[in-house]
Amino acid sequence: MEYTTIESLEALRNAADAEFAAIASEQDAEGFRLKYLGKKGILRDLVKSLGSMSPEERKTFGAAANSLRQGVEERFAAAPWRGNASAEEDLGFDPTLPGYPFPAGSLHPLSKIRNQIVEIFAGMGFSVAYGPDAESDYYNFQALNMPPLHPARDMQDTFYIGQNAVLRTHTSPVQIRVMEAQKPPIRAIMPGRVYRNEEISARSYCMFHQVEGLYVDENVSFSDLKGTLLAFSRQFFDENTKIKIRPSFFPFTEPSVEVDVECFLCKGNGCSICKQSGWLEILGAGMVHPNVFRACGVDPEKYTGFAFGMGIERSALLKYGIDDIRLFYENDVRFLRQF
Ligand code: DAH
């Protein structure tokens, strides 16, 4: 067909529009391109018609032909199937669909156990206190009635980080800091990391966590300690849990005890976890030694108090039935996701 008039260009535009709208595949698109926009395409061939026209006609026809070609070129270049989709045209993107799930983290099992312990004591009126991981020899040992060369220092294999500085071997030094800072009555619970130079195995690690407790007031007695620990055990383990208190030794308490809870797995009948004894050791405790009070400026004639310290890992291992303590520190998400 010959295109020489403005009307014929109009018909051409309609034909091109209809074909453009019908494009349904890459092949269609390529066919369209060759037919209209290729080197020998209809829209490029239009210039040939100009030769037979008067200058007047040439002007109007040429302008119309140009704008027609440009319009088709632009639409073709911007077509969605060329990856140029505008938001409304692109059916591959629906802004009303829900987004991809964003995986939320969760609390570390040790944090969960610590929070449970802290909450139970908070319910009994204890406030929370913290101390530094790197301690002076004074707070970690001396103020706790362990002078230099005291044999009890051997109970804890210590990381020395300086002449007088250690990584704390227990949370007991926080007791000293609390008593220095506050006047009795004091009821404080002190969670934190502790460090011991122990061989790493399934049962022990060079770093672990403890929760320390301290209650100082007039007339605090050993039965207050028993009642508090029993109330804790019944909330933390099982409402019928029994506890057993055995004599022990710690330099910072007198008398000193160790506390066992009835094995909550076998209910005291004996199993592999409690080594057939029916009991699990959970903490050390005792009545605060007068020398410790003196070191903190608390009058031992006026005040008495009890203290205790328990490991968090041990409770977490037992509660979750985990058999290797190292799993807590490896941060393997396959392990952590289970809590
Ligand atoms: N600090 C002791 C330890 O790490 C545990 C302990 C025992 C803490 C008796 C106390 C206590 O507060 O009274 O082995």
Side-chain angles (χ1 to χ4, degrees), residues 156 170 172 175 196 210 212 250 252-253 284-286 307-309:
Q156 304 171 348
H170 50 181
S172 302
Q175 287 184 34
R196 289 189 199 174
Q210 287 186 336
E212 193 83 9
F250 300 102
F252 31 92
T253 42
F308 58 86

Side-chain angles (χ1 to χ4, degrees), residues 246-258:
R246 289 180 284 110
S248 183
F249 173 80
F250 300 102
F252 31 92
T253 42
E254 181 58 38
S256 301
V257 295
E258 276 174 313

